[in-house]
Amino acid sequence: MTPPSEYGIGLVGPDSWSMGSLMLCDKAGPTVVDAVATWQDSDETWCLRRRDHPLTATTTPPGDSDVSRTYLCGNAAAIWLISPNVLCKVKSWIPGVTPEADTIKWVAKNCPNIPIPNVIYSWIDEAWQRSFYLMNVVPGVTLDDAWNKLSKDDRTAIANEVVTYIVDAAQYTSPIISTANGTGLTFHGWILRKSELEIKGANNWQPDLHPIMTPEQLDQSLLQIGQKSPEKVDHFVFFHGDLAPANIFVDKDKNDKWHVSSIIDWETAGFLPKWYIRTIVGVSRAYLLNQKDKNEKAAWSFELSRSLEKHGFQEYREWLEDLVLSLYTTSS
């Protein structure tokens, strides 16, 4: 990626930001002119404007990109705190990838009960091959950080609440494996056929764009590596994709009860087999807690899996483990 993801945003002056090749952001004066988006933060008005002359991919990124960068994931993603309560998330992007902000907007429209980040504005920067979106800082702390403060009943209640959101989203179905926008999913490696696994080398920043599949095509793909689908399906259900404890924020309500205050990171969300939901909870290391006690690490996946079972979700943990082993063994 040129320039690298950590240079997507830079501070170019007091309360003034360069944002990719297309945008500038600053604290507004008494009059806001030509802004594509504005927001209020700590009694101040901030605005986003288009550059008069877009930068090229070979332009040295202006400003100090280290200031207020709160997150960096290799060459694929980064987050900056732009104003006291507003973040900008920057993700690698290629044509065909559904931006995370589009998925969040879909969830807000179709599943309004699910607590999600508020998207202020989003855009695609084709020259720099990345997506940008501005969002409000979500309330609370991650479930990972709060875990040791929660009672057993609190933990069960949080799991039950998350499952109500899973069930809510799963009411929406599709005849194909895809994103909410109908494009290929990213980051679900088990969907890839053996022939589609490859080492990207210099382009390892690019998202894995998986093929759109019907139930019949998924069955055929699995048979190519000697596996049968654990369940016969005729449609797919909408699922967040990664309900890890770092992606769930919790807070106390006015009655001092813990509740889910936001679910973040919707980049892997889309339409998937219903049986996959509980199965991935039991398999993925992403669901492990950051706990010193090894016996406690899997406590979240256990609570979530138990609640999913009560709602009729099946688990095929050994099947998925065998599938992943087959994929990467036969492709090596």
Side-chain angles (χ1 to χ4, degrees), residues 143-148 155 288-299:
L143 181 60
D144 220 347
D145 289 338
W147 190 257
N148 291 332
R155 295 171 181 181
L288 297 180
L289 291 158
N290 184 24
Q291 295 284 319
K292 293 181 179 179
D293 184 351
K294 291 183 179 180
N295 295 324
E296 190 69 12
K297 285 183 176 294

Side-chain angles (χ1 to χ4, degrees), residues 20-306:
S21 73
L22 299 175
M23 299 290 187
L24 296 169
C25 176
D26 52 36
K27 190 185 294 184
T31 304
V32 178
V33 180
D34 297 331
V36 297
T38 61
W39 65 92
Q40 292 293 123
D41 196 348
S42 301
D43 297 323
E44 301 279 359
T45 301
W46 292 74
C47 63
L48 184 71
R49 299 186 177 91
R50 293 192 179 276
R51 295 181 185 274
D52 292 333
H53 304 287
L55 304 178
T56 66
T58 58
T59 303
T60 301
D64 188 345
S65 61
D66 291 328
V67 175
S68 295
R69 188 173 62 224
T70 63
Y71 175 80
L72 179 63
C73 180
N75 209 14
I79 299 175
W80 282 264
L81 185 67
I82 301 302
S83 66
N85 297 288
V86 172
L87 299 163
C88 187
K89 186 171 183 178
V90 183
K91 287 282 300 178
S92 59
W93 176 87
I94 57 175
V97 169
T98 293
E100 182 182 354
D102 285 8
T103 302
I104 292 174
K105 293 172 186 176
W106 184 94
V107 174
K109 177 182 178 181
N110 293 286
C111 307
N113 291 330
I114 299 178
I116 53 176
N118 176 55
V119 176
I120 297 170
Y121 191 79
S122 63
W123 69 98
I124 298 295
D125 191 323
E126 294 188 11
W128 283 21
Q129 295 180 291
R130 62 201 79 187
S131 62
F132 291 72
Y133 75 91
L134 291 158
M135 63 178 175
N136 294 104
V137 173
V138 300
V141 297
T142 67
L143 181 60
D144 220 347
D145 289 338
W147 190 257
N148 291 332
K149 302 175 185 177
L150 304 178
S151 69
K152 187 178 185 304
D153 288 345
D154 290 332
R155 295 171 181 181
T156 300
I158 292 294
N160 289 340
E161 184 180 357
V162 170
V163 170
T164 65
Y165 300 140
I166 293 173
V167 171
D168 190 11
Q171 296 179 57
Y172 292 88
T173 63
S174 171
I176 56 174
I177 292 179
S178 71
T179 66
N181 282 4
T183 64
L185 289 169
T186 58
F187 304 109
H188 293 284
W190 68 275
I191 300 173
L192 287 173
R193 300 181 181 92
K194 178 176 65 174
S195 60
E196 292 164 333
L197 286 167
E198 60 180 340
I199 298 174
K200 297 179 186 175
N203 291 327
N204 62 2
W205 60 269
Q206 294 184 354
D208 288 316
L209 190 58
H210 302 331
I212 294 170
M213 290 185 181
T214 63
E216 294 76 19
Q217 289 171 328
L218 177 59
D219 288 343
Q220 293 169 8
S221 179
L222 293 172
L223 287 173
Q224 288 183 12
I225 53 171
Q227 295 280 349
K228 290 184 178 180
S229 178
E231 282 185 10
K232 189 68 177 177
V233 299
D234 56 13
H235 64 269
F236 303 103
V237 302
F238 193 80
F239 175 52
H240 175 279
D242 184 14
L243 290 169
N247 290 337
I248 298 169
F249 277 69
V250 297
D251 205 355
K252 288 188 175 183
D253 61 20
K254 60 182 180 181
N255 296 317
D256 206 35
K257 296 290 186 181
W258 287 96
H259 68 103
V260 177
S261 55
S262 189
I263 298 175
I264 66 169
D265 282 3
W266 290 83
E267 61 202 49
T268 64
F271 294 97
L272 290 156
K274 183 179 178 180
W275 56 258
Y276 173 77
I277 297 175
R278 185 173 168 223
T279 301
I280 195 63
V281 168
V283 172
S284 175
R285 294 184 61 82
Y287 287 78
L288 297 180
L289 291 158
N290 184 24
Q291 295 284 319
K292 293 181 179 179
D293 184 351
K294 291 183 179 180
N295 295 324
E296 190 69 12
K297 285 183 176 294
W300 169 240
S301 60
F302 173 78
E303 287 285 354
L304 191 57
S305 179
R306 184 171 63 174

